[in-house]
Amino acid sequence: MTQVEDSGARWEHFPHGADIGIRGIGPSQAQAFEQTALALTAVLTDPSLVLPRRRIAIHCEAAGPEALLVQWLNSLVYEMAVRRMIFGRFEVHLAGSALDAEAWGEQVDVPRHQPAVEVKGATYTSLFVGRSPNGAWVAQCVVDV
Amino acid sequence: MDPSLLRQITDSEWRIEPHGKMRVPAVLFATAPLIAAMDAKVYEQIVNVASLPGIQRAAFAMPDAHWGYGFPIGGVAAFDPDDAGVVSAGGVGFDISCGVRLLLTGLEASALAPVRHALADALFHHVPAGVGSRGLIDLSDSQLDDMLGQGAAWALSLGYGVPADLDRTEERGVMAGARPDCVSDFARNRQRREMGTLGSGNHYLEVQRVAEIFSPSPAAAFGLRLHDAVVSIHCGSRGLGHQIGTEFLRDMVALAPSFGIDLPDRELACAPIRSPLGESYLGAMRAAINCALANRQIITHLVRRAFAEVLPHAELAVLYDVSHNTCKLEPHSVDGRPKQLFIHRKGATRAFGPGHPSLPESLRSTGQPVLIGGTMGTSSYVLAGTPDSERVSFSSSCHGAGRLMSRHQASKTWSGRQLVDQLAAHGILIRSPSTRGIAEEAPGAYKDVTAVVEAAESAGLSRRVARLEPLICIKG
């Protein structure tokens, strides 16, 4: 499963025995984080089905880019669970060890979204944040479902 | 896994001798075909577990072992707090106290046939399942504290069940040593509206038929009769357990260097049992066990309500309730010396043998029921602990089939709609909010559960009592 934007930013899933690997790729680390969040949504449903009815703000901090990716994804898992929401658009701003983001989405609509599975949490398995040989930023990990 | 890496002891036991940083051997219980089909990652992970401080006797992999987080799923390891032993969040897993509860119905499966569509609809209506579903209760702060401290007994206090249910639940339905004060507000918020919900993924509610009896005496003691209908509930501690697992894994990763623990894999993160972080995790993890026990207790109540609508003469009694993602303090013997050990079972079921004092009087002569989940198209099994299981594996056995194929591959291979039709042709009714979810959980995406339980019996981990076949499956 892959989705590419005009900027070249894209997301994809990669296989893992019992769970699912999610990967975001973009011209900047922040865009790679945005794409990884879309890959997270795609574990549940097609992100293009999600309407941007409501915006929420997310702030998190962690020591190092990999821990920050896990924290970012787990913050989204938390917001999805507590608000019963699903998100289809993200804007991420990074400053040192801090991440500030906005996520747009709506309440889960089971008939329309046909959500496949809940995500329990982001893990440290296959966790990587860095540049690929062609210079693009990659942010990835396996999520437990 | 390459069998040449292992030393074969018997047809169903293989060994990795200590090397490198390993403190004890690793023992894998599986037949040659299961070993050949096992992920190579299981070798790496079980060797890593055998390297942790304070581990006793050996690191064990059950016949259904596969690639997990730090620990393999199907991993068992015991740690001695008096020997600098550790507790690991990855060794318990994200879905703390995920487990299986089996209910007897007192009815023959044939009695369900005329009303099976109505029963499937009633179960799907009453038991919240899938992403975004909500439970009956909106928990207040004090209710959360009570639930986290009192488990299934708390559910009973609200009218969700009868006292006999507790007698047939591990820990009598209440995990001692729970520390609600160690459970974060984030974890509490995730659980406020999730009590009595099934979840999604591999969690399910199934009506099944007793299709085969292997051991008549324990089957009779368990109340299992050939061709009777039973109900299996497979789920865990929902959002609360997931959040606790996430938070303590993060904290253990961050603090590992301060404990002087060399981690070959971040997800092996752990803390000394006798440390503030270790004690906090144990308190929170035990509270999550209580959450799971309460959750399965409420679902039991909802199942009874659904049956009462369709089959008013059914009397649903709990056969037993097991958890397969836990860390529990248990007395065991190591080299002839009695010890109090913290037994991690990650995707492994406790399997106390006959006579164990923790078993209710009615089950003491048979050994603990061990409940093994299958898929919506294949068999599930009831096993019993053996007199050998303590010596062989710290009284532990397998927990299920284990995945063979990734979710991505499964959803490309099967259509959920077609699977529902195919299973209906075999007399199995599926109810689920998500056709993609059904495809990802296709029976063909799992290993052969029959081969797993045969290996468990051959290795002396537990013995087969009965085989169950699905009739109705509610998937989240």
Side-chain angles (χ1 to χ4, degrees), chain A residues 1 16-19 42-45 66 71 74 77-78 81 84 110 114-118 120 123-125 127 142 144-145, chain B residues 67 69 94 131 133-134 186 189-190 193-194 200-201 238 242 246 249-250 266-267 403 406-408 433-437:
Chain A
M1 208 183 287
H16 173 270
D19 295 309
V43 171
L44 287 85
T45 192
E66 291 184 347
Q71 193 70 14
N74 279 330
V77 168
Y78 175 79
R84 263 51 178 182
V110 172
Q114 285 281 301
V117 67
E118 286 171 321
K120 295 173 187 170
T123 78
Y124 295 81
T125 296
L127 173 60
V142 168
D144 191 15
V145 299
Chain B
W67 182 14
Y69 299 106
F94 284 96
V131 179
S133 58
R134 290 186 169 178
F186 293 104
N189 289 339
R190 278 181 76 169
R193 295 179 177 177
E194 291 204 347
S200 63
R238 309 291 297 115
H242 307 162
T246 295
L249 179 65
R250 177 195 65 203
R266 275 182 287 202
E267 261 153 349
R403 275 194 92 88
S406 72
R407 291 178 174 278
H408 183 50
S434 169
T435 52
R436 184 176 137 196

Short mmCIF file of all heavy atoms in Angstrom, two decimals, chain A residues 1 16-19 42-45 66 71 74 77-78 81 84 110 114-118 120 123-125 127 142 144-145, chain B residues 67 69 94 131 133-134 186 189-190 193-194 200-201 238 242 246 249-250 266-267 403 406-408 433-437:
data_model
loop_
_atom_site.label_atom_id
_atom_site.label_comp_id
_atom_site.label_asym_id
_atom_site.label_seq_id
_atom_site.Cartn_x
_atom_site.Cartn_y
_atom_site.Cartn_z
N MET A 1 0.85 -1.19 0.00
CA MET A 1 0.00 0.00 0.00
C MET A 1 0.90 1.26 0.00
O MET A 1 1.75 1.40 0.86
CB MET A 1 -0.88 -0.02 1.24
CG MET A 1 -2.17 0.69 1.08
SD MET A 1 -3.12 0.71 2.61
CE MET A 1 -3.67 -0.98 2.73
N HIS A 16 5.38 -7.27 8.67
CA HIS A 16 5.96 -7.75 9.92
C HIS A 16 5.11 -8.94 10.32
O HIS A 16 3.91 -8.95 10.08
CB HIS A 16 5.90 -6.66 11.00
CG HIS A 16 6.32 -7.14 12.36
ND1 HIS A 16 5.43 -7.67 13.25
CD2 HIS A 16 7.53 -7.19 12.95
CE1 HIS A 16 6.08 -8.02 14.35
NE2 HIS A 16 7.36 -7.74 14.19
N GLY A 17 5.73 -9.95 10.95
CA GLY A 17 5.04 -11.21 11.23
C GLY A 17 3.59 -11.05 11.65
O GLY A 17 2.67 -11.43 10.92
N ALA A 18 3.35 -10.50 12.84
CA ALA A 18 1.99 -10.44 13.36
C ALA A 18 1.38 -9.06 13.22
O ALA A 18 0.17 -8.90 13.33
CB ALA A 18 1.98 -10.86 14.83
N ASP A 19 2.20 -8.05 12.99
CA ASP A 19 1.73 -6.67 13.02
C ASP A 19 2.03 -5.96 11.69
O ASP A 19 2.13 -6.61 10.67
CB ASP A 19 2.34 -5.96 14.24
CG ASP A 19 1.82 -6.59 15.54
OD1 ASP A 19 0.60 -6.73 15.67
OD2 ASP A 19 2.65 -6.97 16.38
N ALA A 42 -3.72 4.60 7.75
CA ALA A 42 -4.01 3.60 6.73
C ALA A 42 -4.03 2.18 7.28
O ALA A 42 -4.54 1.27 6.63
CB ALA A 42 -2.99 3.70 5.60
N VAL A 43 -3.48 1.99 8.49
CA VAL A 43 -3.62 0.68 9.15
C VAL A 43 -5.10 0.42 9.45
O VAL A 43 -5.57 -0.71 9.38
CB VAL A 43 -2.77 0.62 10.45
CG1 VAL A 43 -3.06 -0.65 11.24
CG2 VAL A 43 -1.29 0.72 10.12
N LEU A 44 -5.81 1.51 9.76
CA LEU A 44 -7.24 1.38 10.09
C LEU A 44 -8.12 1.49 8.86
O LEU A 44 -9.06 0.72 8.68
CB LEU A 44 -7.66 2.47 11.08
CG LEU A 44 -7.20 2.36 12.51
CD1 LEU A 44 -5.82 2.95 12.68
CD2 LEU A 44 -8.17 3.06 13.44
N THR A 45 -7.83 2.51 8.02
CA THR A 45 -8.74 2.79 6.90
C THR A 45 -7.99 3.57 5.82
O THR A 45 -6.86 4.00 6.02
CB THR A 45 -9.96 3.61 7.40
OG1 THR A 45 -10.95 3.64 6.38
CG2 THR A 45 -9.58 5.03 7.76
N GLU A 66 14.30 9.30 16.98
CA GLU A 66 13.58 8.02 16.97
C GLU A 66 12.58 7.95 18.12
O GLU A 66 11.43 7.54 17.93
CB GLU A 66 14.56 6.85 17.00
CG GLU A 66 15.36 6.77 15.70
CD GLU A 66 16.28 5.57 15.62
OE1 GLU A 66 16.51 4.92 16.66
OE2 GLU A 66 16.77 5.29 14.52
N GLN A 71 6.96 8.66 20.21
CA GLN A 71 6.10 9.51 21.05
C GLN A 71 4.99 10.16 20.22
O GLN A 71 3.84 10.23 20.64
CB GLN A 71 6.97 10.57 21.72
CG GLN A 71 6.31 11.32 22.85
CD GLN A 71 6.10 10.44 24.07
OE1 GLN A 71 6.67 9.35 24.18
NE2 GLN A 71 5.25 10.88 24.97
N ASN A 74 2.46 7.47 19.28
CA ASN A 74 1.68 7.06 20.45
C ASN A 74 0.73 8.17 20.92
O ASN A 74 -0.34 7.88 21.45
CB ASN A 74 2.60 6.61 21.59
CG ASN A 74 3.07 5.17 21.39
OD1 ASN A 74 2.36 4.36 20.80
ND2 ASN A 74 4.26 4.87 21.86
N VAL A 77 -2.19 7.66 18.67
CA VAL A 77 -2.95 6.48 19.10
C VAL A 77 -3.84 6.85 20.28
O VAL A 77 -5.02 6.49 20.34
CB VAL A 77 -1.99 5.32 19.48
CG1 VAL A 77 -2.74 4.19 20.20
CG2 VAL A 77 -1.29 4.77 18.24
N TYR A 78 -3.27 7.61 21.21
CA TYR A 78 -4.03 8.04 22.39
C TYR A 78 -5.21 8.92 21.99
O TYR A 78 -6.35 8.72 22.44
CB TYR A 78 -3.09 8.79 23.35
CG TYR A 78 -3.80 9.38 24.55
CD1 TYR A 78 -4.14 8.60 25.63
CD2 TYR A 78 -4.13 10.74 24.58
CE1 TYR A 78 -4.81 9.14 26.72
CE2 TYR A 78 -4.78 11.29 25.66
CZ TYR A 78 -5.12 10.49 26.74
OH TYR A 78 -5.78 11.02 27.81
N ALA A 81 -7.95 6.99 20.38
CA ALA A 81 -8.69 6.12 21.29
C ALA A 81 -9.64 6.93 22.18
O ALA A 81 -10.81 6.57 22.34
CB ALA A 81 -7.71 5.33 22.15
N ARG A 84 -12.25 8.85 20.00
CA ARG A 84 -12.95 8.03 18.99
C ARG A 84 -12.87 8.72 17.63
O ARG A 84 -13.84 8.79 16.87
CB ARG A 84 -14.43 7.84 19.36
CG ARG A 84 -14.79 6.57 20.07
CD ARG A 84 -13.95 6.28 21.23
NE ARG A 84 -14.33 5.07 21.94
CZ ARG A 84 -13.71 4.66 23.06
NH1 ARG A 84 -12.71 5.34 23.56
NH2 ARG A 84 -14.09 3.55 23.63
N VAL A 110 -18.20 3.88 11.36
CA VAL A 110 -17.89 2.48 11.03
C VAL A 110 -18.35 2.08 9.63
O VAL A 110 -17.58 1.51 8.86
CB VAL A 110 -18.47 1.53 12.11
CG1 VAL A 110 -18.32 0.06 11.69
CG2 VAL A 110 -17.74 1.76 13.44
N GLN A 114 -15.04 1.62 7.65
CA GLN A 114 -14.76 0.18 7.74
C GLN A 114 -13.41 -0.05 8.43
O GLN A 114 -12.50 -0.70 7.87
CB GLN A 114 -14.71 -0.43 6.32
CG GLN A 114 -16.07 -0.60 5.70
CD GLN A 114 -16.78 -1.84 6.25
OE1 GLN A 114 -16.31 -2.96 6.14
NE2 GLN A 114 -17.92 -1.62 6.87
N PRO A 115 -13.22 0.48 9.65
CA PRO A 115 -11.91 0.37 10.29
C PRO A 115 -11.52 -1.09 10.53
O PRO A 115 -12.29 -1.85 11.09
CB PRO A 115 -12.09 1.13 11.61
CG PRO A 115 -13.56 1.13 11.86
CD PRO A 115 -14.23 1.11 10.51
N ALA A 116 -10.32 -1.44 10.06
CA ALA A 116 -9.91 -2.85 10.08
C ALA A 116 -9.47 -3.30 11.45
O ALA A 116 -9.80 -4.39 11.89
CB ALA A 116 -8.79 -3.08 9.06
N VAL A 117 -8.68 -2.46 12.13
CA VAL A 117 -8.07 -2.92 13.37
C VAL A 117 -7.59 -1.72 14.18
O VAL A 117 -7.20 -0.69 13.62
CB VAL A 117 -6.88 -3.88 13.05
CG1 VAL A 117 -5.74 -3.16 12.37
CG2 VAL A 117 -6.38 -4.63 14.28
N GLU A 118 -7.66 -1.83 15.50
CA GLU A 118 -7.11 -0.79 16.38
C GLU A 118 -5.60 -0.91 16.44
O GLU A 118 -5.07 -2.02 16.41
CB GLU A 118 -7.62 -0.98 17.81
CG GLU A 118 -9.05 -0.59 18.05
CD GLU A 118 -9.49 -1.02 19.44
OE1 GLU A 118 -9.11 -2.11 19.89
OE2 GLU A 118 -10.21 -0.25 20.07
N LYS A 120 -2.54 -0.71 18.93
CA LYS A 120 -2.31 -0.71 20.39
C LYS A 120 -1.22 0.30 20.75
O LYS A 120 -1.29 0.97 21.76
CB LYS A 120 -1.89 -2.10 20.85
CG LYS A 120 -2.97 -3.15 20.68
CD LYS A 120 -2.43 -4.52 21.01
CE LYS A 120 -3.44 -5.61 20.67
NZ LYS A 120 -2.86 -6.96 20.76
N THR A 123 6.00 0.79 18.34
CA THR A 123 7.04 0.00 19.00
C THR A 123 8.43 0.46 18.54
O THR A 123 8.56 1.31 17.65
CB THR A 123 6.90 -1.49 18.67
OG1 THR A 123 7.41 -1.72 17.35
CG2 THR A 123 5.45 -1.95 18.74
N TYR A 124 9.45 -0.13 19.13
CA TYR A 124 10.84 0.18 18.77
C TYR A 124 11.37 -0.77 17.70
O TYR A 124 12.53 -0.69 17.33
CB TYR A 124 11.72 0.12 20.02
CG TYR A 124 11.38 1.18 21.05
CD1 TYR A 124 10.33 1.01 21.93
CD2 TYR A 124 12.10 2.37 21.11
CE1 TYR A 124 10.00 1.97 22.87
CE2 TYR A 124 11.79 3.35 22.05
CZ TYR A 124 10.74 3.15 22.92
OH TYR A 124 10.42 4.12 23.84
N THR A 125 10.50 -1.67 17.23
CA THR A 125 10.93 -2.64 16.22
C THR A 125 11.03 -1.95 14.85
O THR A 125 10.12 -1.23 14.45
CB THR A 125 9.93 -3.81 16.16
OG1 THR A 125 9.97 -4.49 17.40
CG2 THR A 125 10.27 -4.77 15.04
N LEU A 127 12.59 0.50 14.08
CA LEU A 127 12.50 1.95 14.28
C LEU A 127 13.71 2.63 13.64
O LEU A 127 14.86 2.26 13.88
CB LEU A 127 12.47 2.25 15.78
CG LEU A 127 12.54 3.72 16.21
CD1 LEU A 127 11.38 4.53 15.64
CD2 LEU A 127 12.55 3.82 17.74
N VAL A 142 7.41 -0.42 13.52
CA VAL A 142 6.30 -1.38 13.49
C VAL A 142 5.29 -0.94 14.55
O VAL A 142 5.67 -0.49 15.63
CB VAL A 142 6.82 -2.80 13.79
CG1 VAL A 142 5.67 -3.77 14.06
CG2 VAL A 142 7.66 -3.30 12.62
N ASP A 144 1.98 -2.18 16.89
CA ASP A 144 1.32 -3.38 17.42
C ASP A 144 -0.19 -3.22 17.25
O ASP A 144 -0.75 -2.20 17.63
CB ASP A 144 1.69 -3.52 18.90
CG ASP A 144 1.28 -4.86 19.48
OD1 ASP A 144 0.97 -5.78 18.70
OD2 ASP A 144 1.27 -4.99 20.71
N VAL A 145 -0.83 -4.21 16.66
CA VAL A 145 -2.28 -4.13 16.44
C VAL A 145 -2.98 -5.31 17.12
O VAL A 145 -2.33 -6.28 17.49
CB VAL A 145 -2.65 -4.11 14.95
CG1 VAL A 145 -2.04 -2.89 14.28
CG2 VAL A 145 -2.21 -5.39 14.26
N TRP B 67 7.96 -14.16 16.24
CA TRP B 67 8.66 -12.89 16.44
C TRP B 67 7.80 -11.93 17.26
O TRP B 67 6.70 -11.57 16.84
CB TRP B 67 8.99 -12.32 15.06
CG TRP B 67 9.74 -11.03 15.07
CD1 TRP B 67 10.40 -10.43 16.10
CD2 TRP B 67 9.93 -10.17 13.93
NE1 TRP B 67 10.98 -9.27 15.68
CE2 TRP B 67 10.73 -9.08 14.36
CE3 TRP B 67 9.54 -10.23 12.59
CZ2 TRP B 67 11.10 -8.06 13.49
CZ3 TRP B 67 9.92 -9.22 11.74
CH2 TRP B 67 10.69 -8.15 12.19
N TYR B 69 8.14 -8.61 20.58
CA TYR B 69 8.83 -7.36 20.89
C TYR B 69 9.77 -7.61 22.05
O TYR B 69 9.36 -7.67 23.20
CB TYR B 69 7.80 -6.27 21.22
CG TYR B 69 6.89 -6.01 20.05
CD1 TYR B 69 5.57 -6.43 20.03
CD2 TYR B 69 7.39 -5.37 18.91
CE1 TYR B 69 4.77 -6.22 18.93
CE2 TYR B 69 6.58 -5.16 17.80
CZ TYR B 69 5.28 -5.58 17.83
OH TYR B 69 4.49 -5.38 16.72
N PHE B 94 2.02 -5.61 25.07
CA PHE B 94 1.16 -4.43 25.10
C PHE B 94 -0.24 -4.78 25.60
O PHE B 94 -0.87 -4.00 26.29
CB PHE B 94 1.05 -3.81 23.72
CG PHE B 94 2.27 -3.04 23.31
CD1 PHE B 94 3.25 -3.62 22.53
CD2 PHE B 94 2.44 -1.73 23.71
CE1 PHE B 94 4.38 -2.90 22.15
CE2 PHE B 94 3.56 -1.00 23.34
CZ PHE B 94 4.53 -1.60 22.56
N VAL B 131 -13.23 -1.13 16.14
CA VAL B 131 -12.66 0.19 16.38
C VAL B 131 -13.78 1.18 16.70
O VAL B 131 -14.79 1.23 16.01
CB VAL B 131 -11.89 0.67 15.13
CG1 VAL B 131 -11.32 2.06 15.35
CG2 VAL B 131 -10.79 -0.32 14.78
N SER B 133 -15.79 1.28 19.22
CA SER B 133 -16.94 0.81 19.99
C SER B 133 -16.81 1.24 21.45
O SER B 133 -15.70 1.42 21.95
CB SER B 133 -17.09 -0.72 19.90
OG SER B 133 -15.94 -1.36 20.35
N ARG B 134 -17.94 1.37 22.14
CA ARG B 134 -17.94 1.82 23.53
C ARG B 134 -18.70 0.84 24.40
O ARG B 134 -19.64 0.20 23.96
CB ARG B 134 -18.59 3.20 23.63
CG ARG B 134 -17.74 4.27 23.03
CD ARG B 134 -18.30 5.64 23.26
NE ARG B 134 -17.31 6.63 22.87
CZ ARG B 134 -17.51 7.94 22.92
NH1 ARG B 134 -18.65 8.41 23.33
NH2 ARG B 134 -16.56 8.77 22.56
N PHE B 186 -3.38 9.01 31.46
CA PHE B 186 -3.56 8.65 30.04
C PHE B 186 -4.19 7.26 29.92
O PHE B 186 -5.12 7.03 29.15
CB PHE B 186 -2.22 8.67 29.30
CG PHE B 186 -1.62 10.04 29.18
CD1 PHE B 186 -0.55 10.42 29.98
CD2 PHE B 186 -2.12 10.95 28.26
CE1 PHE B 186 -0.01 11.69 29.87
CE2 PHE B 186 -1.57 12.22 28.13
CZ PHE B 186 -0.51 12.60 28.95
N ASN B 189 -7.80 7.34 31.02
CA ASN B 189 -8.68 7.97 30.03
C ASN B 189 -9.00 7.02 28.88
O ASN B 189 -10.10 7.06 28.32
CB ASN B 189 -8.03 9.25 29.48
CG ASN B 189 -8.02 10.36 30.52
OD1 ASN B 189 -8.80 10.33 31.47
ND2 ASN B 189 -7.13 11.33 30.35
N ARG B 190 -8.02 6.20 28.51
CA ARG B 190 -8.28 5.27 27.41
C ARG B 190 -9.29 4.19 27.79
O ARG B 190 -9.86 3.54 26.93
CB ARG B 190 -6.97 4.61 26.94
CG ARG B 190 -6.18 5.48 25.98
CD ARG B 190 -4.91 4.82 25.50
NE ARG B 190 -5.13 3.79 24.50
CZ ARG B 190 -4.15 3.22 23.80
NH1 ARG B 190 -2.89 3.60 24.00
NH2 ARG B 190 -4.41 2.29 22.91
N ARG B 193 -14.37 4.38 28.78
CA ARG B 193 -15.56 3.95 28.05
C ARG B 193 -15.35 2.62 27.33
O ARG B 193 -16.05 2.31 26.37
CB ARG B 193 -15.97 5.02 27.04
CG ARG B 193 -16.40 6.30 27.71
CD ARG B 193 -16.77 7.36 26.70
NE ARG B 193 -17.25 8.55 27.37
CZ ARG B 193 -17.58 9.67 26.74
NH1 ARG B 193 -17.49 9.73 25.43
NH2 ARG B 193 -18.01 10.72 27.41
N GLU B 194 -14.36 1.86 27.78
CA GLU B 194 -14.04 0.62 27.05
C GLU B 194 -14.35 -0.65 27.83
O GLU B 194 -14.01 -1.74 27.38
CB GLU B 194 -12.56 0.63 26.63
CG GLU B 194 -12.27 1.64 25.55
CD GLU B 194 -11.04 1.31 24.71
OE1 GLU B 194 -10.27 0.41 25.10
OE2 GLU B 194 -10.87 1.94 23.67
N SER B 200 -10.36 -5.45 18.69
CA SER B 200 -10.29 -5.84 17.27
C SER B 200 -9.09 -6.75 17.07
O SER B 200 -8.59 -7.36 18.01
CB SER B 200 -10.20 -4.57 16.41
OG SER B 200 -9.01 -3.87 16.71
N GLY B 201 -8.61 -6.83 15.84
CA GLY B 201 -7.46 -7.69 15.55
C GLY B 201 -7.81 -9.16 15.74
O GLY B 201 -8.81 -9.64 15.21
N ARG B 238 -7.61 -4.05 26.95
CA ARG B 238 -8.04 -2.93 26.11
C ARG B 238 -7.07 -1.74 26.16
O ARG B 238 -5.90 -1.92 26.37
CB ARG B 238 -9.48 -2.53 26.47
CG ARG B 238 -10.45 -3.70 26.51
CD ARG B 238 -10.69 -4.26 25.12
NE ARG B 238 -11.33 -3.25 24.29
CZ ARG B 238 -10.74 -2.70 23.22
NH1 ARG B 238 -9.55 -3.08 22.85
NH2 ARG B 238 -11.37 -1.79 22.52
N HIS B 242 -2.73 -1.35 26.93
CA HIS B 242 -1.85 -0.87 25.85
C HIS B 242 -1.07 0.36 26.30
O HIS B 242 0.13 0.49 26.04
CB HIS B 242 -2.67 -0.52 24.61
CG HIS B 242 -3.59 -1.60 24.15
ND1 HIS B 242 -4.64 -1.36 23.31
CD2 HIS B 242 -3.63 -2.92 24.41
CE1 HIS B 242 -5.29 -2.50 23.07
NE2 HIS B 242 -4.70 -3.45 23.73
N THR B 246 2.97 0.76 26.76
CA THR B 246 3.68 1.80 26.01
C THR B 246 4.51 2.68 26.94
O THR B 246 5.69 2.95 26.68
CB THR B 246 2.65 2.67 25.24
OG1 THR B 246 2.00 1.85 24.27
CG2 THR B 246 3.31 3.84 24.57
N LEU B 249 7.42 0.69 28.76
CA LEU B 249 8.47 0.34 27.82
C LEU B 249 9.35 1.56 27.57
O LEU B 249 10.59 1.49 27.61
CB LEU B 249 7.86 -0.16 26.50
CG LEU B 249 8.86 -0.55 25.42
CD1 LEU B 249 9.70 -1.76 25.85
CD2 LEU B 249 8.15 -0.90 24.11
N ARG B 250 8.72 2.70 27.35
CA ARG B 250 9.46 3.96 27.14
C ARG B 250 10.36 4.26 28.35
O ARG B 250 11.55 4.56 28.18
CB ARG B 250 8.44 5.10 26.94
CG ARG B 250 9.05 6.49 26.78
CD ARG B 250 7.98 7.54 26.97
NE ARG B 250 7.46 7.53 28.34
CZ ARG B 250 6.26 8.01 28.70
NH1 ARG B 250 5.47 8.55 27.82
NH2 ARG B 250 5.88 7.96 29.98
N ARG B 266 16.26 -2.84 22.16
CA ARG B 266 15.59 -1.86 23.03
C ARG B 266 14.31 -2.42 23.65
O ARG B 266 13.95 -2.08 24.78
CB ARG B 266 15.23 -0.60 22.23
CG ARG B 266 16.36 0.39 22.14
CD ARG B 266 15.94 1.63 21.39
NE ARG B 266 15.81 1.36 19.96
CZ ARG B 266 15.86 2.28 19.00
NH1 ARG B 266 16.03 3.54 19.33
NH2 ARG B 266 15.76 1.96 17.73
N GLU B 267 13.62 -3.29 22.88
CA GLU B 267 12.35 -3.78 23.40
C GLU B 267 12.49 -4.85 24.48
O GLU B 267 11.51 -5.32 25.03
CB GLU B 267 11.46 -4.26 22.26
CG GLU B 267 10.50 -3.17 21.95
CD GLU B 267 10.00 -3.14 20.56
OE1 GLU B 267 10.54 -3.86 19.70
OE2 GLU B 267 9.07 -2.38 20.34
N ARG B 403 0.61 -16.33 13.91
CA ARG B 403 0.41 -15.92 12.52
C ARG B 403 1.45 -16.54 11.60
O ARG B 403 2.61 -16.72 11.96
CB ARG B 403 0.48 -14.40 12.40
CG ARG B 403 -0.79 -13.69 12.68
CD ARG B 403 -0.74 -12.25 12.23
NE ARG B 403 -1.24 -12.08 10.88
CZ ARG B 403 -2.51 -11.87 10.57
NH1 ARG B 403 -3.41 -11.82 11.51
NH2 ARG B 403 -2.89 -11.74 9.31
N SER B 406 1.57 -12.00 7.02
CA SER B 406 1.34 -10.64 7.51
C SER B 406 -0.09 -10.20 7.18
O SER B 406 -0.74 -10.74 6.27
CB SER B 406 2.33 -9.67 6.86
OG SER B 406 2.00 -9.48 5.50
N ARG B 407 -0.56 -9.19 7.91
CA ARG B 407 -1.90 -8.66 7.66
C ARG B 407 -2.00 -8.10 6.25
O ARG B 407 -3.03 -8.25 5.57
CB ARG B 407 -2.21 -7.53 8.67
CG ARG B 407 -2.37 -8.05 10.04
CD ARG B 407 -2.64 -6.99 11.08
NE ARG B 407 -2.89 -7.69 12.31
CZ ARG B 407 -4.06 -8.21 12.64
NH1 ARG B 407 -5.10 -8.04 11.85
NH2 ARG B 407 -4.21 -8.88 13.75
N HIS B 408 -0.94 -7.43 5.82
CA HIS B 408 -0.90 -6.82 4.49
C HIS B 408 -1.10 -7.91 3.43
O HIS B 408 -1.94 -7.77 2.52
CB HIS B 408 0.47 -6.15 4.34
CG HIS B 408 0.65 -5.41 3.06
ND1 HIS B 408 -0.27 -4.52 2.58
CD2 HIS B 408 1.65 -5.46 2.14
CE1 HIS B 408 0.15 -4.04 1.43
NE2 HIS B 408 1.31 -4.60 1.14
N PRO B 433 -17.89 -5.64 12.08
CA PRO B 433 -18.12 -4.33 11.47
C PRO B 433 -17.21 -4.07 10.27
O PRO B 433 -17.40 -3.09 9.56
CB PRO B 433 -17.81 -3.35 12.61
CG PRO B 433 -16.90 -4.09 13.52
CD PRO B 433 -17.23 -5.54 13.39
N SER B 434 -16.19 -4.89 10.04
CA SER B 434 -15.18 -4.57 9.02
C SER B 434 -14.84 -5.77 8.17
O SER B 434 -14.31 -6.77 8.66
CB SER B 434 -13.91 -4.05 9.71
OG SER B 434 -12.85 -3.98 8.80
N THR B 435 -15.11 -5.67 6.86
CA THR B 435 -14.75 -6.78 5.96
C THR B 435 -13.23 -6.88 5.79
O THR B 435 -12.70 -7.97 5.65
CB THR B 435 -15.39 -6.60 4.57
OG1 THR B 435 -15.07 -5.30 4.10
CG2 THR B 435 -16.89 -6.78 4.64
N ARG B 436 -12.53 -5.72 5.83
CA ARG B 436 -11.06 -5.79 5.73
C ARG B 436 -10.48 -6.48 6.95
O ARG B 436 -9.53 -7.25 6.86
CB ARG B 436 -10.48 -4.38 5.58
CG ARG B 436 -8.98 -4.39 5.36
CD ARG B 436 -8.44 -2.99 5.12
NE ARG B 436 -7.20 -2.77 5.85
CZ ARG B 436 -6.66 -1.59 6.09
NH1 ARG B 436 -7.26 -0.49 5.66
NH2 ARG B 436 -5.53 -1.47 6.76
N GLY B 437 -11.08 -6.21 8.12
CA GLY B 437 -10.63 -6.87 9.34
C GLY B 437 -10.77 -8.38 9.24
O GLY B 437 -9.91 -9.14 9.70
#
